Amino acid sequence: MRHDIEFDAEGAMLRGWFYEVDGASGPAPCVVMAHGWSSTKRMYLDRFAEVFAAAGLAVLVFDNRGWGESGTAPGKPRHEIDPWEQIRDYQHAITCAQNRPEVDPDRIGVWGTSFSAAHAFVVAAIDRRVKAASGQAPFISGRATYANLARVDNLVVGPEVFTADRRARAAGEPPTMIPVIGDAPGRLVGLPTPESREWFTRARTQLDPSWPNEVTLRSMDLFYGYEPARYLPDVTPTPLLMIVGRDDGLTGGTLAAAAFETAAEPKKIVFLPGGHFAAYTSAGFVAASSASRDWFVEHLTVG
């Protein structure tokens, strides 16, 4: 029972899927979902949504603005990643879900992965409509992650490069674009780790051949200034689940585990064997999707 949907987010038309609960006797709890940095909903999100829907949870999945099937606001470029725009779009998606007759508007959960896991935590901290949150392989700190990526076969970019791009855009020039992944020595890419290249190459080939492998340079500037872990102490009393890859070398499994300690109860952390992308396939997917499903059922289902 999956339907194509679209909704306006202050001038950007966002598109996605709504999963209706089969045989529901009334409005159901709903999980709102989006993907991480530069990814599209076709890259495995349907598999998570199906697990949630089979457990009696309605699901609203959407592409981030400027990615996949979603549009942008007038005058804004495609393939730009602004974390605060994406956070507001989660809030628009919550409103869209609340306005559907199939959804109980008082039982909304948010789910995210990688960059959007950070958004799920921030939204849970600032929007009390959220009654449960789950984030896997979460992005924790822009500064720390940027420093980590700059050490992994990547061109180190200082603030003067971001400044030049801002000034050029203000003068009417098009935004500077960089690849998300690549292996050319000395060329700046957004995600330079070998596991990122492997995952995106496979996901594009198998799931979304239209994935563009480009992102604005400004997205890296905005990435650097995003510190979502500072919101973790404010998620309470909303129940918070964090799923962490023990060997996550992209956003940092150790960094995530340390940040988890700053959150107040109710909370739970689940560790998966493997790296940043372990949760999308095989045993990692089973463990991650089951943990999130059980968390949402526990905290969104009326006993």
Side-chain angles (χ1 to χ4, degrees):
M1 296 289 287
R2 189 177 89 179
H3 311 283
D4 291 335
I5 61 167
E6 63 179 24
F7 56 96
D8 179 70
E10 296 179 337
M13 188 61 68
L14 306 187
R15 297 181 176 88
W17 302 317
F18 179 76
Y19 289 76
E20 185 178 347
V21 177
D22 289 340
S25 58
C30 183
V31 177
V32 173
M33 306 172 54
H35 220 315
W37 208 79
S38 84
S39 302
T40 70
K41 66 182 186 297
R42 297 186 183 279
M43 294 174 166
Y44 300 103
L45 290 201
D46 55 337
R47 302 178 188 186
F48 287 90
E50 288 164 5
V51 169
F52 301 157
L57 302 161
V59 186
L60 190 153
V61 184
F62 67 97
D63 275 322
N64 289 305
R65 64 173 60 207
W67 294 91
E69 297 174 353
S70 287
T72 62
K76 292 293 190 82
R78 289 190 64 78
H79 308 149
E80 182 150 279
I81 302 169
D82 182 328
W84 290 101
E85 284 187 337
Q86 292 186 348
I87 287 165
R88 287 191 292 273
D89 288 344
Y90 259 95
Q91 294 181 289
H92 290 303
I94 290 170
T95 303
C96 176
Q98 287 184 309
N99 283 342
R100 295 191 66 94
E102 307 96 333
V103 170
D104 182 339
D106 296 321
R107 293 188 287 161
I108 301 291
V110 292
W111 178 97
T113 180
S114 190
F115 205 58
S116 68
H119 303 344
F121 298 150
V122 174
V123 172
I126 66 176
D127 193 328
R128 291 303 167 199
R129 294 178 298 172
V130 176
K131 304 306 180 186
S134 175
Q136 65 182 34
F139 179 93
I140 293 297
S141 165
R143 181 171 294 191
T145 303
Y146 187 85
N148 182 49
L149 296 181
R151 294 194 298 268
V152 185
D153 189 29
N154 207 21
L155 180 67
V156 178
V157 174
E160 68 279 356
V161 177
F162 297 139
T163 298
D165 179 60
R166 284 177 176 270
R167 293 181 66 182
R169 288 174 62 155
E173 297 181 24
T176 300
M177 309 298 293
I178 62 171
V180 176
I181 57 168
D183 55 10
R187 185 179 185 188
L188 176 67
V189 299
L191 301 175
T193 65
E195 65 174 343
S196 298
R197 289 197 299 273
E198 178 184 351
W199 187 86
F200 276 98
T201 299
R202 182 176 65 250
R204 177 170 55 179
T205 300
Q206 298 178 355
L207 302 172
D208 191 354
S210 64
W211 181 73
N213 192 25
E214 69 169 15
V215 65
T216 66
L217 177 65
R218 185 173 182 235
S219 300
M220 295 294 293
D221 190 4
L222 298 170
F223 170 117
Y224 180 81
Y226 184 35
E227 296 292 331
R230 297 178 183 179
Y231 287 82
L232 284 171
D234 298 327
V235 174
T236 188
T238 302
L240 180 154
L241 174 66
M242 184 182 289
I243 301 170
V244 178
R246 291 187 182 274
D247 302 314
D248 188 338
L250 182 58
T251 56
T254 302
L255 196 66
F260 176 79
E261 296 302 318
T262 70
E265 298 287 347
K267 64 179 180 178
K268 181 180 180 180
I269 189 167
V270 173
F271 290 98
L272 302 180
H276 185 76
F277 298 96
Y280 295 103
T281 56
S282 303
F285 165 74
V286 174
S289 62
S290 298
S292 289
R293 175 200 63 203
D294 294 347
W295 190 251
F296 289 129
V297 168
E298 177 183 357
H299 293 289
L300 298 180
T301 301
V302 176

